[in-house]
Amino acid sequence: LAWIPGEEPEVARGPKWPTLVAAAKRVREGKVGDPEQVIAHRASSASAMQDFMGPLMARRPIVTWAVAGLSVGLFGLQMLWGGGEPYASGMRMGAAVKGLIDDGQLWRLVAPMVLHGSVIHLIFNMTALFGFGTFLERFLGWRRYLVLYVASGVGGGIASYLRPDEVVSVCASGGIWGLMIAGAVLVTLPRGLLPRMVSEVQKKRAWTPVLINGFYSFQPGVDLLAHLGGGVVGGLLLLSGLLTRGVPACEQSNDPDRPPRKESALVTITAVVCGLLVLGSVGAAFATARPWELLGAPALLRTAIP
């Protein structure tokens, strides 16, 4: 299709492509701006996106790496101590069990966020962790990101505990769902925190895995309540503005004369407490249940039978 201003479009013979026909109609109706202005606008948007993403990508997502390393390491121990069955050792390593939580083992509301039930479970969660976590950590900073992940994981653990039936749940997906929903909310309602081009590009990428995982959450053997609990907490933290309070707008963050952002002592203390809460919960599970003893010979008891 060729078009010269002031003349009718000249269309070659052959099938009509709907996209080109619609474009020709917009040109004839004057709905397309000056090409030079369009090119300049796109160049400006691309430059703004580069200015925003450049410094962001230079930050190292250390918490994401740490969570991934801890999750993979613990899963290796689950497989080792459980003889290839992760649930056998997972219960001793802090999996959520309603009856044991009722008995006072409250660490089982936290420890499951770094435990997994199978290799597939681990792979899916680590893929989502790096897909959403690296961007969120670079944008929010490691302190706010750690608070987001742990709060979402605890929310998933509490929601899983509320289910009426007694199951052994390794609900690591609660924290992952918190990251997914938080990322989707951020790009959908950027509130000036993200350049328009960044939010538009990331919007579809964020919501597509949420919808796919939402469908998967209804499959048998999947802890739906943990997913919902973690997602609700992560979404509310972003939607309410609690987690982004103090984060500069994208225009301010690109200002070279602006001093580096310093987090308040409250944010730092909260992040440290969250990190210690996860490590302490796993440590409490190890000290109480001693999962490595599964490799030893079973303890036999002598019982007198009348």
Side-chain angles (χ1 to χ4, degrees):
L1 181 148
W3 178 71
I4 301 176
E7 298 183 7
E8 288 296 319
E10 179 182 344
V11 183
R13 294 182 179 179
K16 293 183 178 181
W17 290 8
T19 302
L20 294 180
V21 172
K25 182 179 180 181
R26 289 177 61 85
V27 169
R28 288 196 299 269
E29 294 175 352
K31 294 182 179 180
V32 178
D34 183 5
E36 293 184 359
Q37 293 181 358
V38 173
I39 293 174
H41 173 71
R42 289 181 177 176
S44 175
S45 299
S47 177
M49 183 173 180
Q50 180 62 34
D51 292 340
F52 178 81
M53 293 298 296
L56 211 63
M57 297 303 294
R59 302 173 186 173
R60 295 182 178 181
I62 55 175
V63 173
T64 300
W65 295 344
V67 170
L70 180 61
S71 299
V72 173
L74 289 177
F75 184 76
L77 293 177
Q78 284 180 253
M79 296 294 286
L80 174 64
W81 292 335
E85 174 50 58
Y87 273 99
S89 54
M91 190 170 72
R92 288 196 176 201
M93 294 170 66
V97 182
K98 188 177 182 66
L100 296 178
I101 296 174
D102 290 336
D103 290 339
Q105 298 185 15
L106 299 181
W107 57 82
R108 293 183 180 273
L109 296 173
V110 183
M113 73 174 66
V114 286
L115 299 176
H116 292 83
S118 67
V119 175
I120 298 299
H121 188 204
L122 178 68
I123 292 175
F124 273 121
N125 277 353
M126 293 302 99
T127 300
L129 175 67
F130 280 96
F132 287 86
T134 51
F135 175 77
L136 282 172
E137 182 176 355
R138 286 166 171 153
F139 174 74
L140 294 172
W142 71 267
R143 298 167 180 85
R144 296 171 188 255
Y145 172 74
L146 182 57
V147 172
L148 169 64
Y149 180 77
V150 175
S152 300
V154 173
I158 294 175
S160 178
Y161 166 74
L162 295 177
R163 64 189 305 159
D165 50 333
E166 184 78 35
V167 296
V168 178
S169 177
V170 283
C171 42
S173 301
I176 301 298
W177 261 82
L179 299 183
M180 289 198 302
I181 299 299
V185 170
L186 176 63
V187 299
T188 304
L189 302 172
R191 301 177 182 178
L193 298 174
L194 300 178
R196 181 178 178 182
M197 181 175 289
V198 174
S199 62
E200 290 297 329
V201 169
Q202 296 294 333
K203 193 177 300 183
K204 184 176 180 181
R205 296 179 181 178
W207 282 108
T208 299
V210 169
L211 296 176
I212 293 175
N213 280 277
F215 174 77
Y216 176 75
S217 298
F218 289 92
Q219 301 302 308
V222 178
D223 197 337
L224 172 63
L225 289 180
H227 290 187
L228 293 178
V232 167
V233 172
L236 288 178
L237 284 175
L238 261 292
L239 195 61
S240 64
L242 288 175
L243 211 61
T244 56
R245 183 175 299 173
V247 176
C250 58
E251 294 84 0
Q252 297 174 342
S253 62
N254 294 336
D255 186 359
D257 298 327
R258 181 182 177 87
R261 188 183 82 197
K262 293 183 178 180
E263 292 290 3
S264 65
L266 177 61
V267 174
T268 301
I269 293 173
T270 305
V272 172
V273 169
C274 286
L276 293 177
L277 182 64
V278 175
L279 296 178
S281 297
V282 174
F286 276 43
T288 303
R290 307 171 72 88
W292 54 86
E293 291 183 348
L294 288 172
L295 292 179
L300 302 180
L301 299 177
R302 183 178 297 274
T303 303
I305 300 176

